[in-house]
Amino acid sequence: MWHCARVEDITMNILVAGSEQVLHAGQFAGKLRSPFIHSGNGMSGEDIAAFSAAVKIRALRAYRQAAAARTRSSIAGLQPGQFRNKPGAAQIRRLTEDGAVQQSEQWLIDYWAGKTIAGLVLMPATRHNFIHLNKAMRIKLKLQK
């Protein structure tokens, strides 16, 4: 849930809307008690364990809901012609400047940089959640056995 919320927050706010991330605007970094603020891509097993031990689940749920609400608002404000645009160079630079994507994950920056606004709305904001939902269900079923 954290990774999906972070990716949505990062892409929809930095790359699509050119605005402040919900993580910072809502002061969620402190509320979550997470030592990480990046997208979660490239985390080691130790990083995942540290995050899992530290994170406050209620704050995580509130963050997820706030990020989703901002996404809906941002998308509703887009004009039809804007969907063909790509993020600008300054927006792409913000990904690392803001600590949203780790330097080691340049492939992700390159991937997002090649997307149009429509492409970013389709993958990170929608399909990305479905990809991880399937993984989460497999983990849940495994743990229930």
Side-chain angles (χ1 to χ4, degrees):
M1 184 163 55
W2 175 74
H3 168 69
C4 288
R6 285 301 296 132
V7 167
E8 183 174 327
D9 189 9
I10 292 164
T11 57
M12 295 299 102
N13 291 299
I14 293 177
L15 300 178
V16 172
S19 62
E20 185 177 21
Q21 296 172 68
V22 171
L23 182 78
H24 302 308
Q27 300 175 343
F28 281 103
K31 294 174 189 174
L32 290 165
R33 307 263 164 108
S34 169
F36 306 101
I37 62 165
H38 57 74
S39 68
N41 293 88
M43 288 177 73
S44 68
E46 292 90 18
D47 291 343
I48 293 168
F51 171 81
S52 298
V55 72
K56 300 299 178 197
I57 299 299
R58 280 200 168 131
L60 177 57
R61 185 172 183 190
Y63 170 58
R64 179 69 193 104
Q65 290 170 336
R70 174 83 75 79
T71 293
R72 288 190 298 273
S73 175
S74 295
I75 292 172
L78 291 171
Q79 299 301 312
Q82 291 178 286
F83 286 92
R84 291 186 190 104
N85 298 341
K86 288 187 176 186
Q91 290 165 291
I92 298 301
R93 279 193 307 276
R94 277 188 59 203
L95 294 173
T96 52
E97 289 170 358
D98 290 4
V101 178
Q102 297 184 86
Q103 293 283 348
S104 62
E105 303 305 305
Q106 184 62 44
W107 67 270
L108 183 59
I109 295 168
D110 294 341
Y111 174 76
W112 287 341
K115 295 285 184 189
T116 62
I117 300 304
L120 291 167
V121 169
L122 287 173
M123 182 48 183
T126 55
R127 290 186 296 195
H128 184 247
N129 293 310
F130 289 113
I131 291 167
H132 290 297
L133 181 61
N134 287 330
K135 289 179 184 178
M137 290 303 296
R138 285 195 303 271
I139 292 168
K140 179 184 175 187
L141 291 173
K142 196 173 196 177
L143 290 172
Q144 288 176 335
K145 286 185 179 183

mmCIF file of all heavy atoms in Angstrom, residues 101-120:
data_model
loop_
_atom_site.group_PDB
_atom_site.id
_atom_site.type_symbol
_atom_site.label_atom_id
_atom_site.label_comp_id
_atom_site.label_asym_id
_atom_site.label_seq_id
_atom_site.Cartn_x
_atom_site.Cartn_y
_atom_site.Cartn_z
ATOM 1 N N VAL A 101 12.721 9.419 -5.833
ATOM 2 C CA VAL A 101 13.264 8.233 -6.492
ATOM 3 C C VAL A 101 14.753 8.159 -6.165
ATOM 4 O O VAL A 101 15.460 9.160 -6.266
ATOM 5 C CB VAL A 101 13.057 8.279 -8.026
ATOM 6 C CG1 VAL A 101 13.679 7.064 -8.695
ATOM 7 C CG2 VAL A 101 11.567 8.361 -8.362
ATOM 8 N N GLN A 102 15.192 6.990 -5.769
ATOM 9 C CA GLN A 102 16.614 6.791 -5.452
ATOM 10 C C GLN A 102 17.467 6.917 -6.718
ATOM 11 O O GLN A 102 17.034 6.535 -7.806
ATOM 12 C CB GLN A 102 16.835 5.397 -4.863
ATOM 13 C CG GLN A 102 16.121 5.176 -3.539
ATOM 14 C CD GLN A 102 16.466 3.827 -2.976
ATOM 15 O OE1 GLN A 102 17.469 3.691 -2.287
ATOM 16 N NE2 GLN A 102 15.648 2.822 -3.278
ATOM 17 N N GLN A 103 18.673 7.426 -6.558
ATOM 18 C CA GLN A 103 19.601 7.566 -7.683
ATOM 19 C C GLN A 103 19.813 6.228 -8.394
ATOM 20 O O GLN A 103 19.994 6.185 -9.604
ATOM 21 C CB GLN A 103 20.954 8.109 -7.194
ATOM 22 C CG GLN A 103 20.903 9.530 -6.691
ATOM 23 C CD GLN A 103 20.843 10.558 -7.806
ATOM 24 O OE1 GLN A 103 21.061 10.264 -8.975
ATOM 25 N NE2 GLN A 103 20.530 11.785 -7.440
ATOM 26 N N SER A 104 19.777 5.133 -7.642
ATOM 27 C CA SER A 104 20.015 3.804 -8.214
ATOM 28 C C SER A 104 18.875 3.333 -9.112
ATOM 29 O O SER A 104 19.014 2.330 -9.808
ATOM 30 C CB SER A 104 20.232 2.780 -7.098
ATOM 31 O OG SER A 104 19.063 2.694 -6.282
ATOM 32 N N GLU A 105 17.783 4.046 -9.105
ATOM 33 C CA GLU A 105 16.603 3.630 -9.875
ATOM 34 C C GLU A 105 16.392 4.528 -11.098
ATOM 35 O O GLU A 105 15.271 4.926 -11.406
ATOM 36 C CB GLU A 105 15.364 3.629 -8.974
ATOM 37 C CG GLU A 105 15.504 2.733 -7.756
ATOM 38 C CD GLU A 105 15.864 1.300 -8.096
ATOM 39 O OE1 GLU A 105 15.153 0.663 -8.891
ATOM 40 O OE2 GLU A 105 16.887 0.814 -7.560
ATOM 41 N N GLN A 106 17.479 4.826 -11.806
ATOM 42 C CA GLN A 106 17.411 5.690 -12.986
ATOM 43 C C GLN A 106 16.463 5.131 -14.042
ATOM 44 O O GLN A 106 15.821 5.878 -14.764
ATOM 45 C CB GLN A 106 18.812 5.885 -13.584
ATOM 46 C CG GLN A 106 18.860 6.842 -14.763
ATOM 47 C CD GLN A 106 18.434 8.257 -14.434
ATOM 48 O OE1 GLN A 106 18.837 8.796 -13.414
ATOM 49 N NE2 GLN A 106 17.623 8.859 -15.288
ATOM 50 N N TRP A 107 16.353 3.818 -14.116
ATOM 51 C CA TRP A 107 15.452 3.195 -15.089
ATOM 52 C C TRP A 107 14.023 3.694 -14.886
ATOM 53 O O TRP A 107 13.287 3.895 -15.869
ATOM 54 C CB TRP A 107 15.496 1.665 -14.974
ATOM 55 C CG TRP A 107 14.926 1.155 -13.677
ATOM 56 C CD1 TRP A 107 15.604 0.933 -12.507
ATOM 57 C CD2 TRP A 107 13.552 0.863 -13.405
ATOM 58 N NE1 TRP A 107 14.737 0.519 -11.523
ATOM 59 C CE2 TRP A 107 13.463 0.461 -12.039
ATOM 60 C CE3 TRP A 107 12.387 0.900 -14.149
ATOM 61 C CZ2 TRP A 107 12.263 0.091 -11.440
ATOM 62 C CZ3 TRP A 107 11.177 0.534 -13.558
ATOM 63 C CH2 TRP A 107 11.137 0.131 -12.213
ATOM 64 N N LEU A 108 13.621 3.900 -13.647
ATOM 65 C CA LEU A 108 12.260 4.358 -13.354
ATOM 66 C C LEU A 108 12.070 5.801 -13.806
ATOM 67 O O LEU A 108 11.045 6.144 -14.400
ATOM 68 C CB LEU A 108 11.972 4.221 -11.856
ATOM 69 C CG LEU A 108 10.578 4.590 -11.386
ATOM 70 C CD1 LEU A 108 9.518 3.735 -12.079
ATOM 71 C CD2 LEU A 108 10.484 4.428 -9.874
ATOM 72 N N ILE A 109 13.063 6.614 -13.559
ATOM 73 C CA ILE A 109 13.017 8.011 -14.008
ATOM 74 C C ILE A 109 12.918 8.058 -15.532
ATOM 75 O O ILE A 109 12.100 8.795 -16.093
ATOM 76 C CB ILE A 109 14.246 8.782 -13.496
ATOM 77 C CG1 ILE A 109 14.200 8.870 -11.964
ATOM 78 C CG2 ILE A 109 14.333 10.169 -14.127
ATOM 79 C CD1 ILE A 109 15.480 9.358 -11.317
ATOM 80 N N ASP A 110 13.723 7.261 -16.205
ATOM 81 C CA ASP A 110 13.691 7.210 -17.677
ATOM 82 C C ASP A 110 12.330 6.728 -18.172
ATOM 83 O O ASP A 110 11.799 7.254 -19.162
ATOM 84 C CB ASP A 110 14.789 6.286 -18.208
ATOM 85 C CG ASP A 110 16.195 6.810 -17.920
ATOM 86 O OD1 ASP A 110 16.356 8.018 -17.638
ATOM 87 O OD2 ASP A 110 17.139 5.983 -17.955
ATOM 88 N N TYR A 111 11.769 5.742 -17.508
ATOM 89 C CA TYR A 111 10.460 5.207 -17.891
ATOM 90 C C TYR A 111 9.387 6.292 -17.782
ATOM 91 O O TYR A 111 8.625 6.526 -18.721
ATOM 92 C CB TYR A 111 10.126 4.003 -17.001
ATOM 93 C CG TYR A 111 8.742 3.444 -17.204
ATOM 94 C CD1 TYR A 111 8.442 2.669 -18.316
ATOM 95 C CD2 TYR A 111 7.730 3.695 -16.277
ATOM 96 C CE1 TYR A 111 7.165 2.149 -18.505
ATOM 97 C CE2 TYR A 111 6.464 3.175 -16.460
ATOM 98 C CZ TYR A 111 6.184 2.413 -17.575
ATOM 99 O OH TYR A 111 4.910 1.914 -17.757
ATOM 100 N N TRP A 112 9.332 6.946 -16.626
ATOM 101 C CA TRP A 112 8.327 7.991 -16.424
ATOM 102 C C TRP A 112 8.554 9.174 -17.353
ATOM 103 O O TRP A 112 7.599 9.774 -17.839
ATOM 104 C CB TRP A 112 8.306 8.452 -14.978
ATOM 105 C CG TRP A 112 7.704 7.468 -14.019
ATOM 106 C CD1 TRP A 112 6.880 6.408 -14.320
ATOM 107 C CD2 TRP A 112 7.865 7.440 -12.607
ATOM 108 N NE1 TRP A 112 6.535 5.734 -13.185
ATOM 109 C CE2 TRP A 112 7.125 6.347 -12.113
ATOM 110 C CE3 TRP A 112 8.585 8.221 -11.711
ATOM 111 C CZ2 TRP A 112 7.056 6.033 -10.765
ATOM 112 C CZ3 TRP A 112 8.518 7.908 -10.357
ATOM 113 C CH2 TRP A 112 7.763 6.823 -9.896
ATOM 114 N N ALA A 113 9.794 9.524 -17.632
ATOM 115 C CA ALA A 113 10.111 10.655 -18.502
ATOM 116 C C ALA A 113 9.608 10.436 -19.926
ATOM 117 O O ALA A 113 9.298 11.393 -20.629
ATOM 118 C CB ALA A 113 11.616 10.917 -18.514
ATOM 119 N N GLY A 114 9.506 9.186 -20.336
ATOM 120 C CA GLY A 114 9.035 8.871 -21.680
ATOM 121 C C GLY A 114 7.524 8.812 -21.817
ATOM 122 O O GLY A 114 7.007 8.646 -22.926
ATOM 123 N N LYS A 115 6.814 8.944 -20.716
ATOM 124 C CA LYS A 115 5.360 8.836 -20.726
ATOM 125 C C LYS A 115 4.690 10.198 -20.940
ATOM 126 O O LYS A 115 5.193 11.224 -20.489
ATOM 127 C CB LYS A 115 4.844 8.267 -19.396
ATOM 128 C CG LYS A 115 5.261 6.850 -19.122
ATOM 129 C CD LYS A 115 4.470 5.923 -19.975
ATOM 130 C CE LYS A 115 4.774 4.478 -19.663
ATOM 131 N NZ LYS A 115 4.163 3.593 -20.620
ATOM 132 N N THR A 116 3.558 10.182 -21.584
ATOM 133 C CA THR A 116 2.705 11.362 -21.652
ATOM 134 C C THR A 116 1.886 11.418 -20.362
ATOM 135 O O THR A 116 1.876 10.454 -19.582
ATOM 136 C CB THR A 116 1.740 11.285 -22.842
ATOM 137 O OG1 THR A 116 0.889 10.133 -22.652
ATOM 138 C CG2 THR A 116 2.476 11.199 -24.178
ATOM 139 N N ILE A 117 1.183 12.513 -20.158
ATOM 140 C CA ILE A 117 0.299 12.622 -18.992
ATOM 141 C C ILE A 117 -0.724 11.480 -19.030
ATOM 142 O O ILE A 117 -0.986 10.849 -18.003
ATOM 143 C CB ILE A 117 -0.399 14.000 -18.947
ATOM 144 C CG1 ILE A 117 0.629 15.129 -18.869
ATOM 145 C CG2 ILE A 117 -1.402 14.072 -17.816
ATOM 146 C CD1 ILE A 117 1.608 15.069 -17.727
ATOM 147 N N ALA A 118 -1.268 11.187 -20.195
ATOM 148 C CA ALA A 118 -2.225 10.071 -20.318
ATOM 149 C C ALA A 118 -1.571 8.760 -19.896
ATOM 150 O O ALA A 118 -2.184 7.950 -19.186
ATOM 151 C CB ALA A 118 -2.742 9.964 -21.748
ATOM 152 N N GLY A 119 -0.348 8.538 -20.314
ATOM 153 C CA GLY A 119 0.369 7.316 -19.946
ATOM 154 C C GLY A 119 0.626 7.226 -18.457
ATOM 155 O O GLY A 119 0.528 6.148 -17.865
ATOM 156 N N LEU A 120 0.928 8.352 -17.830
ATOM 157 C CA LEU A 120 1.145 8.366 -16.381
ATOM 158 C C LEU A 120 -0.150 8.119 -15.617
ATOM 159 O O LEU A 120 -0.152 7.442 -14.588
ATOM 160 C CB LEU A 120 1.774 9.695 -15.950
ATOM 161 C CG LEU A 120 3.216 9.911 -16.404
ATOM 162 C CD1 LEU A 120 3.627 11.359 -16.209
ATOM 163 C CD2 LEU A 120 4.155 8.970 -15.665
#
